[in-house]
Amino acid sequence: MKQTVKILRKLIFHLSIALLLLFLLISGFYGVKGYVMYRNAVNEKTLEDRVEEIRNRETFTPCSDLPAFYIEAAISTEDRRFNQHCGIDPIAIGRAAWTDIKAMSFVEGGSTITQQLAKNLLFSQEKKIERKVAELFAALALEADYTKEEIFELYANISYFGSGYYGIYEAAMGYFGKKPAQLTDYECAMLAGIPKAPSVYSPNSNRELAAKRTEQVLQCMVRNKNITKKNADQITLEPFNIPQQADIE
């Protein structure tokens, strides 16, 4: 009996070593591929040039012209530790990895706002392991060169909000016929929730789903103590209207 236990322990030990080596090998393989993808992207056009292109757009909206409620709603929903992490959130990545393993599919990405900005600036939307790794390198580079305010500002101005609207200005004008600074709290919450799945949560696609997503954003803000439950209930009662045709100025 003791001999059998001893053999089993050895087998488990050697299996653990083999799995660890395999993990390191796979990590190294995708780490190199991801870094090469990142370097190819910045060699094609630098991060600085890409950022300047966004800032030079007529519709570029600085953080000073964004409602504080929109900023809080987006951070609370997309990346609640945005102001604490270095561009990568290990807790969110671990949670997403566990979810993906259970689903045997890319269900959750665990991307921070900085990673989402990196993806939109440099890469395609294709879900590949090497692209996720490349995102990490790009996110670290963005955090090294830009402030949190600048990163959020760029994120808001480059995100896709559905219905052909890119950036917070186009989305505010397109959906509500007003500039970002004029948005109500409810409208801010709605726009904060759309980038998660633009084709699903766009109010032009499905007003009911857009409203449910907005409620999710408000509840997330309650959980993160940005607002109270009473505030959320009051905001939900705000008058809500989407013009049939709103021209983007």
Side-chain angles (χ1 to χ4, degrees), residues 2-20:
K2 287 184 178 180
Q3 188 65 23
T4 303
V5 171
K6 199 172 183 180
I7 292 171
L8 283 173
R9 283 178 177 172
K10 281 188 177 181
L11 284 172
I12 292 170
F13 173 75
H14 289 301
L15 181 59
S16 300
I17 294 296
L19 289 173
L20 177 61

Side-chain angles (χ1 to χ4, degrees), residues 12 24 43 62 64 90 92 111 121 130 134 155 168 187 189 211 219 242:
I12 292 170
L24 293 173
N43 286 337
S64 57
S111 293
L121 271 176
E130 56 264 39
Y155 161 81
I168 186 69
E187 291 163 349
Q219 292 309 311
I242 297 179

Side-chain angles (χ1 to χ4, degrees), residues 16-170:
S16 300
I17 294 296
L19 289 173
L20 177 61
L21 290 174
L22 180 62
F23 172 77
L24 293 173
L25 185 63
I26 292 173
S27 298
F29 173 76
Y30 283 108
V32 171
K33 288 193 72 174
Y35 182 73
V36 170
M37 180 181 285
Y38 161 69
R39 290 307 312 173
N40 287 341
V42 294
N43 286 337
E44 182 181 325
K45 185 184 291 185
T46 66
L47 275 174
E48 292 79 6
D49 288 342
R50 294 171 191 266
V51 167
E52 282 309 303
E53 282 184 2
I54 297 169
R55 287 174 170 169
N56 288 332
R57 294 175 182 173
E58 287 186 16
T59 58
F60 182 78
T61 306
C63 268
S64 57
D65 291 339
L66 292 175
F69 196 89
Y70 166 72
I71 296 173
E72 290 179 355
I75 290 175
S76 183
T77 306
E78 291 292 326
D79 183 7
R80 66 188 180 90
R81 285 180 287 273
F82 174 67
N83 290 305
Q84 285 77 51
H85 63 61
C86 63
I88 300 168
D89 186 349
I91 296 173
I93 291 174
R95 184 187 64 244
W98 178 241
T99 301
D100 292 344
I101 289 169
K102 289 192 294 183
M104 297 299 289
S105 176
F106 284 114
V107 176
E108 190 175 337
S111 293
T112 63
I113 282 175
T114 314
Q115 286 176 258
Q116 292 178 52
L117 171 62
K119 176 184 66 180
N120 292 332
L121 271 176
L122 294 165
F123 310 113
S124 71
Q125 303 300 309
E126 189 176 7
K127 291 185 176 181
K128 284 187 174 182
I129 295 176
E130 56 264 39
R131 195 220 74 201
K132 292 295 293 182
V133 176
E135 249 179 49
L136 301 181
F137 288 111
L140 292 173
L142 283 166
E143 290 275 347
D145 293 336
Y146 299 95
T147 66
K148 290 290 186 179
E149 182 176 291
E150 289 172 323
I151 288 170
F152 184 86
E153 191 175 77
L154 292 164
Y155 161 81
N157 278 276
I158 199 176
S159 293
Y160 182 54
F161 289 85
S163 300
Y165 304 135
Y166 286 89
I168 186 69
Y169 186 92
E170 287 190 5

Side-chain angles (χ1 to χ4, degrees), residues 206-221:
N206 191 315
R207 290 180 69 113
E208 185 178 343
L209 282 178
K212 286 182 178 179
R213 176 60 177 161
T214 304
E215 289 179 19
Q216 290 175 356
V217 170
L218 292 171
Q219 292 309 311
C220 188
M221 295 181 75

